[in-house]
Amino acid sequence: MFGFHLDYFICCVISVSGVLIMASSYRRSSQSFANYIVGSGLVVLAALLFFLTDDRALNDYEGGLDANEQAVLFSTGSLTALLLHKGFVALKRRLELF
Amino acid sequence: MGNLFDLLIDLDRNLFFLINSKAGIHESIDSLLVIVAGDYLVPVMLSLGLIFLWFHETAEYQAMEVRKRVLIAICSLLGSCLLVMIINELFFRERPFNLPEAKLIFYAPTDSSFPSNSTAAMFGLSIPILKTRMRVGMMMLLASMCLAICRVYVGVHFPGDVIGGVLVALLSFCITILLFKVIDKQLTDALVLFEKSKWLKVFRL
């Protein structure tokens, strides 16, 4: 899609967003089945996007990611997903007020 | 002693050929197992499992216990990687794809084959979860086993390397548990601070 690093980052953001939707649904007393479907759908979508768009079995000196790069990209991707999730929830609450 | 070592090496090679000989027959199975053996699918899935565990619990005491286990899992993973790095400095084993009859359907790594780094890291991440969340821990362990077998199938590890990886993970887990017992009170305080602090609210669901 956009290069190995950016692809990995985008897919991490999408999949972590899915997991956060499932976790927040689990936390609420009314566990919404729709939220589980959306959450797990996002995780599957991220995996399909990542693996079907390019060859990902690459060594780190041939364009793949080494362990450190993976750790940094996954952490920043997770943080981005968390901030996006919080922003989305805040926006939803605002809209419900009106 | 030397004979026993040679016997184990022979057994390891025979087991490798038993698994690796199935590679290259069905292209679709190969493609799927290359993805499982890769550096992305299983590590990311297990990390997503840890994120779910970190955020899903609402009861304060249970959340604290689960979060401690998540932190132990992360430290156990780092410990496994460190132990593998130390062993690699002391000992080098050729990769199995250098054997004439072996089939390689993955990229060719250049570092030491023993112990398997990815197996050690994934088992290091999965083992600590077993105590608090048995079902999730078993699923994570199963995914780690799939990764380990797939790495033998694609031709980048001997079975002995992945067994070595599991042993490294167990050692790392034991060391991490001992370290966490020493800092248990400080860790509990830090987690309480994380839960109560207004400034850290952005990191909570």
Side-chain angles (χ1 to χ4, degrees):
Chain A
M1 290 189 297
F2 311 106
F4 211 112
H5 290 69
L6 195 54
D7 289 357
Y8 183 75
F9 176 78
I10 291 169
C11 291
C12 283
V13 173
I14 296 172
S15 54
V16 174
S17 299
V19 168
L20 291 178
I21 289 171
M22 284 193 278
S24 56
S25 164
Y26 191 91
R27 285 167 71 95
R28 274 184 248 128
S29 50
S30 56
Q31 292 175 20
S32 158
F33 185 66
N35 280 355
Y36 272 107
I37 296 288
V38 171
S40 46
L42 282 176
V43 175
V44 174
L45 174 77
L48 290 178
L49 262 180
F50 188 72
F51 289 108
L52 295 183
T53 49
D54 217 334
D55 176 25
R56 304 300 180 180
L58 287 177
N59 215 334
D60 49 6
Y61 55 79
E62 291 168 333
L65 301 174
D66 65 28
N68 298 330
E69 286 173 330
Q70 270 191 61
V72 169
L73 285 172
F74 187 83
S75 311
T76 47
S78 306
L79 201 60
T80 309
L82 184 61
L83 294 176
L84 282 174
H85 182 84
K86 299 224 50 141
F88 182 75
V89 170
L91 189 73
K92 206 174 139 195
R93 275 195 199 138
R94 277 274 166 88
L95 289 174
E96 277 169 3
L97 280 177
F98 292 108
Chain B
M1 190 68 184
N3 279 346
L4 181 69
F5 186 71
D6 289 342
L7 193 76
L8 283 175
I9 293 287
D10 272 351
L11 187 71
D12 200 21
R13 278 187 186 194
N14 292 339
L15 204 55
F16 167 75
F17 282 121
L18 187 75
I19 298 169
N20 182 247
S21 62
K22 310 281 184 294
I25 297 171
H26 300 288
E27 205 180 318
S28 49
I29 293 175
D30 286 353
S31 313
L32 185 71
L33 296 190
V34 163
I35 290 176
V36 179
D39 306 326
Y40 305 104
L41 184 71
V42 175
V44 169
M45 287 301 155
L46 297 197
S47 307
L48 291 177
L50 289 191
I51 290 177
F52 180 79
L53 285 176
W54 182 273
F55 285 112
H56 87 291
E57 201 64 70
T58 40
E60 200 177 322
Y61 177 73
Q62 280 176 332
M64 198 80 83
E65 285 306 304
V66 171
R67 284 175 183 174
K68 271 185 196 171
R69 279 282 145 176
V70 171
L71 292 176
I72 288 172
I74 294 168
C75 290
S76 169
L77 165 113
L78 294 175
S80 301
C81 292
L82 186 70
L83 285 172
V84 170
M85 213 166 78
I86 293 167
I87 296 169
N88 284 350
E89 287 296 317
L90 303 170
F91 181 81
F92 184 85
R93 187 183 193 192
E94 283 278 344
R95 293 274 177 176
F97 54 76
N98 290 319
L99 295 170
E101 309 91 35
K103 295 175 194 167
L104 178 69
I105 55 167
F106 198 65
Y107 68 77
T110 50
D111 55 341
S112 173
S113 185
F114 181 87
S116 165
N117 196 352
S118 43
T119 308
M122 291 308 102
F123 273 85
L125 205 64
S126 314
I127 293 167
I129 304 301
L130 277 173
K131 196 186 166 192
T132 41
R133 288 285 178 274
M134 188 68 173
R135 218 176 336 154
V136 180
M138 286 304 283
M139 278 160 63
M140 289 171 78
L141 217 54
L142 200 69
S144 307
M145 276 179 203
C146 284
L147 173 90
I149 294 165
C150 287
R151 286 190 79 85
V152 178
Y153 178 88
V154 299
V156 292
H157 280 300
F158 287 106
D161 303 336
V162 298
I163 293 169
V166 176
L167 293 178
V168 165
L170 280 170
L171 179 65
S172 168
F173 169 64
C174 294
I175 296 170
T176 312
I177 286 288
L178 288 177
L179 282 175
F180 270 70
K181 269 189 184 155
V182 176
I183 58 160
D184 189 57
K185 195 188 169 307
Q186 290 88 333
L187 187 68
T188 308
D189 292 345
L191 285 172
V192 169
L193 181 74
F194 174 80
E195 199 53 47
K196 305 274 186 238
S197 169
K198 202 172 80 179
W199 302 103
L200 294 171
K201 201 180 161 190
V202 72
F203 297 109
R204 296 194 293 264
L205 268 189

